[in-house]
Amino acid sequence: MELKDILAISGQPGLFRYVARSSNGVIVESLADGRRMNSSGTAKISALAEIAIYTETEELPLWQVFEKFYAYTDGKPTIDAKLDAVLLKKTFGEVVPDYDRDRVHDMKKVVSWFNLLVGAGMTDFRLEKEDGTETDGEKDEAAAE
């Protein structure tokens, strides 16, 4: 399972793994319970690999946020995002100290997504480039030319 295959669907709780295209959308499988469903082509679908959070200096890709949480928790799920908003903000600030406090409001979703992924057995959040090498968070100089 790779992060590029994990989807968030507007109006649906949880995360989904891309399975296949269908005639009127995509077939996805819930990470929580493994049930498959068809998501219509009109639903807003976001791949986690394309999401980033704001920091004071730049946008931080979600996979890097997940790696920071993974290191912070030693590979275990982190706090329950529903329990305490103050503790959630404190923990998020310890993991990503430079997150933009004015523009990042959905920490609960990021933490619950991380917990779902770790619960589903995901341990490596890095993305692979098209040539098969893994990203290291720096821009590819050859692509810029």
Side-chain angles (χ1 to χ4, degrees):
M1 177 169 53
E2 295 181 32
L3 197 61
K4 68 180 178 71
D5 297 325
I6 307 300
L7 308 172
I9 302 173
S10 178
Q12 297 290 327
L15 294 173
F16 301 87
R17 184 180 63 84
Y18 172 83
V19 176
R21 294 187 76 88
S22 68
S23 59
N24 60 348
V26 293
I27 299 171
V28 295
E29 181 178 87
S30 170
L31 290 185
D33 60 15
R35 293 178 25 182
R36 288 188 177 190
M37 67 176 216
N38 184 57
S39 180
S40 101
T42 60
K44 183 178 181 209
I45 299 174
S46 302
L48 294 191
E50 298 171 359
I51 298 174
I53 67 159
Y54 296 110
T55 67
E56 297 295 335
T57 57
E58 61 186 351
E59 290 184 3
L60 185 66
L62 193 57
W63 69 268
Q64 289 180 349
V65 175
F66 288 157
E67 283 202 330
K68 289 176 181 267
F69 267 101
Y70 195 81
Y72 180 79
T73 64
D74 292 325
K76 296 177 179 70
T78 188
I79 62 168
D80 184 351
K82 299 174 190 172
L83 290 181
D84 183 4
V86 173
L87 181 60
L88 176 66
K89 285 183 180 185
K90 179 182 180 279
T91 303
F92 202 88
E94 289 173 1
V95 176
V96 187
D98 64 336
Y99 82 93
D100 189 331
R101 281 145 177 85
D102 294 329
R103 297 194 291 176
V104 176
H105 302 287
D106 220 348
M107 293 171 273
K108 185 184 290 189
K109 188 175 283 188
V110 171
V111 169
S112 64
W113 285 351
F114 172 77
N115 288 339
L116 264 173
L117 291 170
V118 169
M122 190 166 214
T123 59
D124 186 10
F125 302 101
R126 288 176 288 182
L127 302 177
E128 286 190 17
K129 297 180 186 176
E130 289 184 21
D131 63 2
T133 61
E134 291 183 343
T135 61
D136 61 359
E138 296 180 17
K139 292 181 181 172
D140 187 1
E141 296 298 324
E145 295 176 4

